[in-house]
Amino acid sequence: MSDEQRPPASPEPGGAASGGPERPGPERQGPEPEAIRFFGTTWLHHDGGYGLRRAGVAVGSLALAAAGAVVLRFAFQGLEIADVGPFVGILVVAGFAICSALAFRRTWDGFVRRPDPAAESAADRSAQSLMFIGFIGSLLAYFCRSLVEAPGEKRCRAEYAAARERHERRRSSRTGNPAARKSRPKKRR
């Protein structure tokens, strides 16, 4: 798409620029909810198979974590066959455990609050390798969060509520004819 054909960026979360659903007509007033991976906008009203999607995400992430653990077990057996010694085995297990814990925490924090775009720099690029190594922790975070809600639903719901409130405030302050408002006389003491 060329720049002339692109819709203008919306300052509201879930607007046209963030991939929110486009609804033509008069019902499209105010900010749109942000789409969540695997859920779209079904998290807003818990419709459209929301419960089945949550169950699917929970089962899928747990199954993928179990498959990842099996693959890591095969890798560890390869180290045992190579007879590298117990020190290397302990380092590998500790490294995967630490990376999984860091990936779990980072993924969980992403569900609770949006990362600061100013802080996303070289630290994020180096953290990607930790996330890659600790993929089991990230999958387990998806599993645990999907037992309660859609992963990231609480954060998106809070952002959407704040955007709706800002929209209502702006809309209510603009209603009526401002020229028709009469200024009140100042009180004399």
Side-chain angles (χ1 to χ4, degrees), residues 12 27-32 160-174:
E12 305 296 340
E27 25 180 285
R28 184 166 185 256
Q29 295 178 356
E32 296 291 323
Y160 180 67
R164 291 290 300 173
E165 182 182 326
R166 283 192 308 269
H167 174 74
E168 289 300 320
R169 259 196 328 256
R170 282 194 311 257
R171 201 170 125 221
S172 66
S173 67
R174 286 190 221 152

Side-chain angles (χ1 to χ4, degrees), residues 5 50 93-94 126 176:
Q5 296 174 342
Y50 172 81
V93 169
S126 66

